[in-house]
């Protein structure tokens, strides 16, 4: 028998359905409370391990009031509620729940949410090692390194991949978020079905709905044929929504409906289409900050943030630099048919003394260039800009550059590192963490030509 669970829910039918689902999954339901007063009594008498908590209850006290008491008792809880207005969700967030499910939901969503909540609770309390979900640490294809921070990421991938729950991958540009998304898909039960990648930042605002959900012929001017959207393409597989923080608010509402209802409607159509798609999202933004500033819906944040995976920067895992460098060396030596087999100790020291603002992607591009430039079978030295290497700052007693001159130099350095590429993957805009249109505007203002020379 699994943990003891107390259900705090004032609607009898909902509470009874929850009880049946939980008992079917092997949990022991120790009682149902319709108010905070009843819940307090049952907690004292039955000593539950977990609380499933609705927000609106009978009496003057809400589930949020009880949540603060549960925090004091160190008793873990999850919210299950239909109430998703912004002020309520802000109050919910402040209580730091281990999960939040929006009604209605499927039975398997509830069970997965409980599994993930248990993992997060054990991780927080430092008891994960005593009851590991996965005891062996093994490598995942395409993810290179042995640093403790990376091993933690690998462990989380192996835990969440077999489930169907949503995953939110967090990390700076170039840290390998798409690689992690593919690993989650490849280790899932749906690995034989497609994974569809969507770069939300690259979607024109006027076409977002059409791209994601498709459109019928004649839905709008220029819609000359039926279009199957990304969600339909990913049916029974995985959709990877990269840079989810870039979606405008009206598109976020539509995405939330898809997550809740598991169905879509093509633009211009009147038929709903059931879909079974695993959502993996990623962002280099702080979604909590985006929520606080009104640019991201809190209810969508909770829907996506069931199982967050934070990717470390390359600067934080420098012990993996050599392994990564040789991984890319073998890859590009083979693809370019060049006999380059080693990296000198001097060159490796250069890598270790650099701060890697572009993370793994910057390292990959550096190795690729130097494989092509190498004159012997060894890369003897890297063309890392000397002013980008970390170390003691020398005081310049000469003329101090203006802010405009410094900005121009910084952009020129980024363009040089990216071989003049401005937008897209591996472009200077990505390296500088700005929109391509903004970078083009700055280049024009500063007199930097497309070829950066």
């Amino acid at each position: 028998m699994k943990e003891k669970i107390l259900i705090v829910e004032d609607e009898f039918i909902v509470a009874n359905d929850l009880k049946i689902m939980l008992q079917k999954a092997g949990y022991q339901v120790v009682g149902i409370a319709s108010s905070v007063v009843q819940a307090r009594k049952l907690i004292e008498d039955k000593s539950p391990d977990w609380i499933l908590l609705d927000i609106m209850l009978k009496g003057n006290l809400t589930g949020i009031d009880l949540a603060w008491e549960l925090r004091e008792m160190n008793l873990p809880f999850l919210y299950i509620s239909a109430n998703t207005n912004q002020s309520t969700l802000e109050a919910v967030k402040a209580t730091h729940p281990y999960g939040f499910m929006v009604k209605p939901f499927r039975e398997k969503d509830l069970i997965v949410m409980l599994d993930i909540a248990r993992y997060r609770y054990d991780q927080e309390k430092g008891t994960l090692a005593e009851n590991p979900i996965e005891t062996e640490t093994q490598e995942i294809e395409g993810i290179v390194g042995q640093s403790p921070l990376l091993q933690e990421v690998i462990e989380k991938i192996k835990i969440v991949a077999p489930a169907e729950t949503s995953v939110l991958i967090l990390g700076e540009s170039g840290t390998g978020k798409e690689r992690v998304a593919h690993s989650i898909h490849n280790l899932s039960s749906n690995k034989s079905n497609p994974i569809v990648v969507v770069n939300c930042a690259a979607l024109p605002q006027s076409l977002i709905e059409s791209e994601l959900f498709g459109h019928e012929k004649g839905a709008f001017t220029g819609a000359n044929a039926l279009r199957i959207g990304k969600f339909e393409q990913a049916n029974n597989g995985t959709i990877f929504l990269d840079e989810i923080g870039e979606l405008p608010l009206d598109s976020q509402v539509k995405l939330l409906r898809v997550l809740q209802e598991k169905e879509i409607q093509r633009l211009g159509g009147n038929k709903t289409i059931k879909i079974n798609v695993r959502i993996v999202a990623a962002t280099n933004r702080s979604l909590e900050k985006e929520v606080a500033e009104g640019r991201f819906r809190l209810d969508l944040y909770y829907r996506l943030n069931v199982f967050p995976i934070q990717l470390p920067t390359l600067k934080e895992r420098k012990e993996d630099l050599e392994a990564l460098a040789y991984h890319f060396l073998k890859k590009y030596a083979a693809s370019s048919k060049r006999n380059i087999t080693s990296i000198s100790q001097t060159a490796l020291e250069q890598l270790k003394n650099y701060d890697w603002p572009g993370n793994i992607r910057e390292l990959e591009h550096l190795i690729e260039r130097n494989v092509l430039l190498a004159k012997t079978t060894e890369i003897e030295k890297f063309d890392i800009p000397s002013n980008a290497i970390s170390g003691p700052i020398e005081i310049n007693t000469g003329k101090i550059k203006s802010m405009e001159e410094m900005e121009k130099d910084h952009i020129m350095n980024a363009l040089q590192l990216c071989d003049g590429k401005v937008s897209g993957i591996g472009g200077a805009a990505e390296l500088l963490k700005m929109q391509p249109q903004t970078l083009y505007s700055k280049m024009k203002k500063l007199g930097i030509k497309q070829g950066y020379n």
Side-chain angles (χ1 to χ4, degrees), residues 418-433:
C418 300
D419 292 333
K421 186 177 181 182
V422 178
S423 60
I425 295 174
E430 183 179 63
L431 184 60
L432 294 168
K433 298 179 184 174

Side-chain angles (χ1 to χ4, degrees), residues 339-449:
N339 184 29
I340 314 297
T341 58
S342 62
I343 303 170
S344 74
Q345 196 58 43
T346 300
L348 288 173
E349 285 301 316
Q350 279 185 287
L351 300 183
K352 292 173 184 175
N353 290 329
Y354 182 55
D355 276 347
W356 299 107
N359 292 296
I360 298 171
R361 187 178 294 122
E362 185 182 358
L363 173 65
E364 181 175 3
H365 293 160
L366 180 70
I367 299 295
E368 182 181 11
R369 282 199 305 276
N370 281 270
V371 164
L372 297 174
L373 293 170
K375 294 181 173 60
T376 68
T377 59
E378 181 178 70
I379 295 177
E380 298 174 357
K381 187 179 179 182
F382 287 108
D383 57 341
I384 301 176
S386 58
N387 63 348
I389 296 176
S390 59
I393 300 173
E394 295 182 9
I395 297 173
N396 188 345
T397 56
K399 178 180 176 293
I400 296 176
K401 290 184 177 182
S402 68
M403 291 299 291
E404 189 172 282
E405 289 172 326
M406 290 175 67
E407 184 177 33
K408 182 174 181 178
D409 287 347
H410 191 55
I411 291 173
M412 293 276 283
N413 282 335
L415 286 165
Q416 186 178 16
L417 284 169
C418 300
D419 292 333
K421 186 177 181 182
V422 178
S423 60
I425 295 174
E430 183 179 63
L431 184 60
L432 294 168
K433 298 179 184 174
M434 63 172 64
Q435 291 296 317
Q437 296 91 332
T438 305
L439 181 54
Y440 279 121
S441 176
K442 285 183 178 291
M443 287 169 64
K444 184 177 180 181
K445 177 184 174 185
L446 296 168
I448 302 172
K449 296 182 180 179

